[in-house]
Amino acid sequence: MDDIYQVIVVGGGFAGMAAARELGRKRISVLLVDANNYHQFQPLLYQVAASQIGVSAVARPLRSVFRRIRDVRVLTAEATSIDAAAHTVTTADGTRYQGRILVIAAGAVPNFFNTPGAQEHAYPLYSLDDAVRLSTALTRTLETAEREGSGATDVVIVGGGPTGVETAGALAENIKYIVPKYFSPALADRCRVHLVDMVPNVLNAFSPKSQAYARARLGKLGVQLHMGQSVGEVRPDGVALSDGTDIPARITVWAGGLQAGKIIAESGLAQGKGGRIDVTPELRAPGVEGIYVLGDSANITDDTGAKLPQLGSVAQQSGKWAARNIHADLTGGTRQPFRYSDKGYMAMVGRGAAVAELGRKRIQVQGPPAFASWLVVHLALLPGVRQRIRALSSWAAGYLTHSPTQVFVAKPD
Ligand SMILES: Cc1cc2nc3c(=O)[nH]c(=O)nc-3n(C[C@H](O)[C@H](O)[C@H](O)COP(=O)(O)OP(=O)(O)OC[C@H]3O[C@@H](n4cnc5c(N)ncnc54)[C@H](O)[C@@H]3O)c2cc1C
């Protein structure tokens, strides 16, 4: 057993990083455990997958984030189990760490909804590893298709939410601008992007106006929409839809949903929708003392009781808020129920085009103004100055030259 910490935080994503930062600034000793030694910025993973920005723009070493906050110790290790009653976390090498309070901010994992073949053959897009794997597969597919000289080179994206729409837009733009220039116009003619979802509209959580804009933009980029269709099976060479349609494809991207990971499932804590923990208004796991669950690992409600979506802003704010409640726990103060400052939603639909529904009032913006809001928000959310500079320079270069930023070594099959 290692030393006893005041707080152990599992996960250095938006939620865990915000919580650890706030706690460390309040001089509370924290052990921050993450399987990776970096914070990954999920909202831009699709751009890494599409080779539009480099890995170093979306990942920041956790030790760099906390270099000046001496009360936070960063531990790179996979947490394999949590004992909620004993307040311990065990890591893959068998070491047990004890905290007075545990914060579970371990994010989520893809939910394949038991779709045959999906886990084996589809590419999820939830981590930096996923994004690099997908980018390499896409590059390799283009190289192979060019060598072969004929045959369709389609990509199917499952899930018409923001991740699916943003990925579809980015890949379709690559086919339009990059494939003809770096490979050949003939190869670009053989590439298509398909977007599939069981609900009838893309961006289902957005307003009809935003949905119509996204649909039109995707259509303009040549994305084929298969709305109101579920995927019956994913194979290495395509997907079968529920209505019997078969889409031959070399790559299937899974943006179809999330669920809480194994560590939550095996924690003994009562699970709600998506396997997540239905937390109390103070962001605590119900029925146990000293356990907070944050971000994508939790079902969080706002002060009106409405369920909040799995978003970076919800995760980040829940992290900060939980830190204040933990400070109250440790100093005899009073915990406060979480109040979410609603920033709204946004999604990119190709470069220069976006939809945004801003603030609690959902002020609707489309096109270049929405894109400008998207830029400002994402630059502000990126985890460091260097990441901001790298992302900005990649975006500027991409706009001016329509060239890929990230290069992957894709050996021929
Ligand atoms: C492709 C994509 C695009 C998105 N776009 C947007 C967007 O535009 N705007 C927006 O607001 N939100 C967006 N989101 C949602 C947003 O990124 C998430 O809601 C947010 O990252 C959740 O933060 P979190 O801290 O709960 O989890 P995460 O950010 O997932 O962090 C979890 C951390 O826990 C670590 N971890 C997990 N299990 C273990 C373990 N067993 N042991 C140790 N460490 C562990 C992981 O390594 C990770 O660092 C997007 C999500 C995705 C996947």
Side-chain angles (χ1 to χ4, degrees):
M1 175 94 74
D2 205 75
D3 298 339
I4 296 183
Y5 293 87
Q6 282 177 293
V7 182
I8 300 181
V9 177
V10 178
F14 277 108
M17 194 170 77
R21 211 181 229 155
E22 194 80 7
L23 289 165
R25 284 182 182 145
K26 292 181 189 299
R27 306 302 318 267
I28 291 170
S29 71
V30 176
L31 179 70
L32 174 63
V33 186
D34 199 297
N36 301 308
N37 72 346
Y38 51 82
H39 166 85
Q40 56 197 353
F41 187 74
Q42 287 176 349
L44 295 180
L45 291 180
Y46 80 93
Q47 295 195 359
V48 175
S51 302
Q52 291 179 347
I53 56 173
V55 166
S56 58
V58 299
R60 182 172 177 200
L62 285 166
R63 287 182 198 284
S64 146
V65 174
F66 292 101
R67 72 191 184 285
R68 292 207 185 92
I69 307 180
R70 306 309 308 174
D71 289 285
V72 178
R73 178 184 162 203
V74 173
L75 175 72
T76 304
E78 188 194 353
T80 46
S81 67
I82 286 168
D83 186 330
H87 290 184
T88 59
V89 174
T90 304
T91 52
D93 65 358
T95 311
R96 228 159 20 113
Y97 298 87
Q98 175 123 44
R100 283 180 65 186
I101 291 175
L102 297 190
V103 174
I104 307 175
V109 295
N111 189 349
F112 296 104
F113 298 102
N114 297 320
T115 308
Q119 181 141 17
E120 296 81 359
H121 307 303
Y123 288 81
L125 190 50
Y126 194 71
S127 65
L128 194 51
D129 278 348
D130 292 341
V132 170
R133 207 164 69 89
L134 176 56
S135 180
T136 304
L138 288 163
T139 310
R140 184 174 289 176
T141 297
L142 288 171
E143 299 287 356
T144 307
E146 154 133 293
R147 265 200 333 275
E148 290 172 358
S150 64
T153 313
D154 292 13
V155 175
V156 173
I157 296 163
V158 182
T163 301
V165 165
E166 290 186 327
T167 309
L171 296 185
E173 284 208 324
N174 282 359
I175 292 169
K176 194 166 174 182
Y177 298 109
I178 290 176
V179 177
K181 196 160 77 170
Y182 285 77
F183 291 88
S184 65
L187 179 57
D189 289 343
R190 286 159 49 205
C191 300
R192 265 183 314 263
V193 175
H194 302 260
L195 185 63
V196 182
D197 201 309
M198 62 200 297
V199 299
N201 297 307
V202 292
L203 299 180
N204 200 39
F206 287 63
S207 68
K209 196 172 163 200
S210 301
Q211 290 170 357
Y213 178 88
R215 201 178 250 274
R217 282 292 308 178
L218 290 171
K220 218 168 160 190
L221 289 169
V223 175
Q224 314 228 326
L225 298 179
H226 306 264
M227 293 294 120
Q229 304 275 0
S230 56
V231 171
E233 186 188 6
V234 179
R235 302 184 315 268
D237 61 352
V239 305
L241 301 186
S242 51
D243 69 349
T245 310
D246 205 76
I247 310 176
R250 301 209 187 195
I251 291 193
T252 299
V253 181
W254 194 267
L258 298 172
Q259 61 184 341
K262 204 162 110 268
I263 194 159
I264 302 247
E266 294 174 358
S267 66
L269 297 170
Q271 291 175 270
K273 191 173 176 216
R276 295 178 285 267
I277 308 295
D278 294 334
V279 289
T280 67
E282 293 93 10
L283 304 168
R284 294 183 312 135
V288 272
E289 272 310 306
I291 310 279
Y292 285 78
V293 191
L294 310 175
D296 281 6
S297 296
N299 290 318
I300 302 177
T301 49
D302 69 8
D303 48 348
T304 67
K307 283 216 157 86
L308 295 172
Q310 273 67 53
L311 281 179
S313 49
V314 175
Q316 200 174 50
Q317 291 182 39
S318 71
K320 267 193 188 171
W321 199 279
R324 284 184 218 132
N325 279 346
I326 291 169
H327 183 250
D329 287 343
L330 295 172
T331 56
T334 310
R335 286 188 290 262
Q336 298 296 329
F338 179 52
R339 268 203 319 277
Y340 177 56
S341 162
D342 194 341
K343 307 272 193 272
Y345 305 117
M346 47 184 66
M348 275 273 267
V349 202
R351 291 169 216 223
V355 289
E357 302 191 358
L358 304 171
R360 211 170 251 248
K361 293 200 171 140
R362 299 280 181 267
I363 297 163
Q364 292 178 31
V365 199
Q366 280 103 29
F371 174 63
S373 325
W374 182 95
L375 265 185
V376 171
V377 167
H378 284 75
L379 277 178
L381 277 175
L382 271 162
V385 174
R386 285 179 199 198
Q387 285 66 32
R388 288 182 195 122
I389 293 169
R390 285 173 191 139
L392 253 185
S393 68
S394 297
W395 290 332
Y399 269 101
L400 295 175
T401 64
H402 274 301
S403 56
T405 301
Q406 181 85 328
V407 174
F408 291 104
V409 180
K411 291 208 174 69
D413 297 324

